Amino acid sequence: MLQVNYIRENREKVLERLSVRNFKQLELVDQIISVDEERRQTQNSLDNLSAEANAAAKQIGELMRNGKKEEAEAIKQQTSTNKDKIKELTEKLNALEEQQHNLIVQLPNLPYHLVKAGTSADDNEVVLTHGAPSELPANALPHWELAAKYDIIDFELGTKITGAGFPVYKGKGARLQRALINFFLDKAIAAGYREMQVPHLVNAASGFGTGQLPDKEGQMYHVGVDDLYLIPTAEVPVTNLYRDVILKEEDLPIKNTGYTPCFRREAGSYGSHVRGLNRLHQFDKVELVQITHPEKSYDTLEDMSNYVQSLLQELGLHYRVLRLCGGDMGFTSAMTYDMEVWSAAQQRWLEVSSVSNFETYQSNRLKLRFKGKEGKTQLAHTLNGSALALPRIVASILENYQTEDGIKIPEALVKYTGFDRID
């Protein structure tokens, strides 16, 4: 979340950057500033009264030790009303702090200066395009028909067991899925990331720390009896490893990777664009998380974007990179790159990765700080990215590598699959 001091001292800039997001509740900014002013005044009054009470207690103690009981009792009478006032101010302060918190968590992150204004995906900037579309057979099929033809993914069986959006991978389909997970993890480890195995359920504090709560509770699966949430991405548990932690500057950057299944309700997702593997309620993903020095986070964002692109290049996929406009960015992001792969069979772009810099938005919630060489403690910057999300990568491989007599396996994956084609 944003820091209240920054909002108060940079009101016009905050309003301008929120407008880039097409954020409609700009009145929240002045409400936060007003509540903060009252909170600071209340804190000041409470501090003064507490100081007076402490001084009076000290004076009473000295008088009692010197046998001046009557004088001590007189001071007690004079200051007795302070206790009630202190209690009243403390209760008021607590209420104002809660009100301020409830207001400030409604503000999204401020877009970085390179982020352009816009209202939807149509306003995103194409940063680069790599490669060319695959030349497919005249009778090319979308991946859901290929999955049925070669009996490698069963959507109807998943619907019977659980419901729509929970496919069953079979035979070479399951082996391709596992191969991709191992390929992505091995590449990340070789690039200096530390592999982490983390819980697939998190508590509300973890969801709040990375910004899923209270913004996205409707998209998360909630286990009501235990008040836990199924993770929508490994970003949540991996980043929360450092909640309430003070790092040393020399520890930065911290680079972690992890494979997890991900669970998203995707409420309201209907239509042909979500067929097959295009949008699921459960899917596999290898995630990258970095914690960096604030001065280096945008260089890190570029490095992470280039790394994800290198994976797509090794898989031989035609892709493009988008810089998201303000209106299409996630609630917590300051700047995001999306990587999209061209589906020649569907004739559309499929998002396969999103790489974001959150600056201090998450670390302020997490109380994730580092101590600089001069001894000053400050908030770190956090970043994360998909490297990669499997469903649409699998869909892209099936569609773009199909031939008249089977589906070829990208050369980089053959040593992981143990086979070079699906037929």
Side-chain angles (χ1 to χ4, degrees):
M1 61 187 176
L2 303 181
Q3 298 175 70
V4 67
N5 290 349
Y6 184 88
I7 296 172
R8 185 177 64 245
E9 295 166 8
N10 299 273
R11 176 184 177 275
E12 295 304 320
K13 183 177 180 180
V14 169
L15 290 171
E16 184 269 327
R17 295 320 292 167
L18 288 175
S19 296
V20 168
R21 269 191 175 274
N22 199 36
F23 184 68
K24 302 299 186 183
Q25 296 174 274
L26 295 178
E27 69 277 0
L28 284 172
V29 173
D30 285 334
Q31 291 176 26
I32 290 166
I33 292 171
S34 176
V35 171
D36 183 58
E37 178 63 29
E38 187 176 1
R39 181 197 62 80
R40 290 189 298 138
Q41 290 175 2
T42 303
Q43 181 72 67
N44 187 56
S45 298
L46 181 58
D47 290 344
N48 290 337
L49 271 179
S50 297
E52 289 177 16
N54 290 337
K58 184 177 179 181
Q59 186 179 7
I60 289 168
E62 290 176 356
L63 290 170
M64 292 294 286
R65 284 192 295 273
N66 294 328
K68 300 179 180 179
K69 187 176 180 179
E70 290 184 4
E71 292 181 42
E73 288 296 330
I75 295 175
K76 280 185 182 180
Q77 292 295 324
Q78 294 172 11
T79 59
S80 62
T81 57
N82 277 3
K83 290 184 179 180
D84 292 336
K85 188 64 175 174
I86 287 173
K87 180 182 178 182
E88 179 186 329
L89 286 173
T90 300
E91 291 174 352
K92 181 180 180 182
L93 182 63
N94 291 338
L96 287 168
E97 287 176 344
E98 182 179 0
Q99 183 183 2
Q100 180 176 284
H101 173 81
N102 291 339
L103 288 170
I104 206 167
V105 296
Q106 297 179 56
L107 290 183
N109 204 352
L110 302 181
Y112 188 55
H113 70 87
L114 292 179
V115 175
K116 301 291 181 65
T119 59
S120 70
D122 295 335
D123 300 314
N124 293 335
E125 298 178 84
V126 179
V127 176
L128 65 87
T129 302
H130 178 87
S134 300
E135 294 184 9
L136 299 185
N139 59 345
L141 301 174
H143 70 269
W144 52 87
E145 293 186 24
L146 292 167
K149 179 179 179 180
Y150 296 105
D151 194 27
I152 53 176
I153 306 171
D154 195 320
F155 296 101
E156 292 182 4
L157 191 56
T159 300
K160 181 182 83 169
I161 295 168
T162 309
F166 295 89
V168 173
Y169 297 84
K170 304 162 67 175
K172 287 187 174 181
R175 291 168 66 185
L176 174 60
Q177 183 90 341
R178 178 160 51 89
L180 281 163
I181 293 168
N182 289 333
F183 171 68
F184 293 147
L185 283 174
D186 285 351
K187 286 294 180 181
I189 292 164
Y193 289 86
R194 180 174 59 163
E195 183 178 359
M196 310 292 282
Q197 288 191 6
V198 291
H200 301 163
L201 288 157
V202 294
N203 54 32
S206 295
F208 175 79
T210 44
Q212 279 70 33
L213 298 175
D215 179 52
K216 294 185 177 68
E217 62 265 55
Q219 295 295 329
M220 297 172 71
Y221 286 99
H222 183 226
V223 183
V225 173
D226 301 300
D227 195 21
L228 296 173
Y229 295 84
L230 288 167
I231 61 171
T233 165
E235 167 201 352
V236 182
V238 174
T239 310
N240 270 277
L241 295 171
Y242 301 92
R243 176 156 42 97
D244 298 318
V245 169
I246 299 178
L247 301 165
K248 297 177 182 177
E249 185 172 353
E250 53 265 32
D251 294 333
L252 303 176
I254 288 174
K255 302 170 65 177
N256 288 329
T257 187
Y259 153 71
T260 66
C262 304
F263 304 88
R264 300 181 186 177
R265 293 186 63 241
E266 299 288 5
S269 296
Y270 306 100
S272 61
H273 68 289
V274 299
R275 285 195 67 179
L277 297 172
N278 288 348
R279 185 161 295 174
L280 301 176
H281 295 309
Q282 178 182 327
F283 59 93
D284 292 320
K285 183 153 68 85
V286 173
E287 191 78 359
L288 307 177
V289 173
Q290 286 210 42
I291 300 168
T292 70
H293 192 288
E295 295 176 0
K296 299 179 180 179
S297 67
Y298 279 95
D299 289 337
T300 300
L301 181 64
E302 297 301 322
D303 290 343
M304 292 176 73
S305 171
N306 291 333
Y307 170 76
V308 172
Q309 291 178 58
S310 74
L311 299 177
L312 297 173
Q313 290 167 20
E314 282 204 59
L315 292 174
L317 296 171
H318 171 44
Y319 69 89
R320 69 180 184 179
V321 180
L322 306 177
R323 182 188 290 119
L324 300 193
C325 70
D328 198 37
M329 282 202 311
F331 191 83
T332 56
S333 177
M335 190 164 99
T336 295
Y337 288 120
D338 272 5
M339 287 71 175
E340 297 182 334
V341 169
W342 178 249
S343 165
Q346 297 181 61
Q347 289 292 297
R348 58 189 292 262
W349 292 99
L350 302 176
E351 179 197 331
V352 295
S353 178
S354 194
V355 182
S356 299
N357 187 354
F358 306 102
E359 297 186 356
T360 62
Y361 194 90
Q362 289 183 334
S363 57
N364 191 30
R365 288 173 170 235
L366 294 160
K367 295 184 172 57
L368 166 52
R369 296 156 289 175
F370 71 95
K371 186 170 287 188
K373 294 172 183 175
E374 303 81 15
K376 181 183 177 183
T377 300
Q378 58 181 307
L379 294 169
H381 279 196
T382 62
L383 304 93
N384 81 284
S386 311
L388 287 159
L390 269 70
R392 292 176 185 173
I393 288 293
V394 171
S396 300
I397 289 172
L398 297 180
E399 293 181 357
N400 290 303
Y401 278 87
Q402 63 181 296
T403 68
E404 295 280 2
D405 56 356
I407 301 168
K408 295 190 296 183
I409 298 298
E411 185 177 343
L413 293 180
V414 172
K415 70 176 182 178
Y416 291 93
T417 59
F419 53 87
D420 61 5
R421 68 189 298 108
I422 297 171
D423 49 24

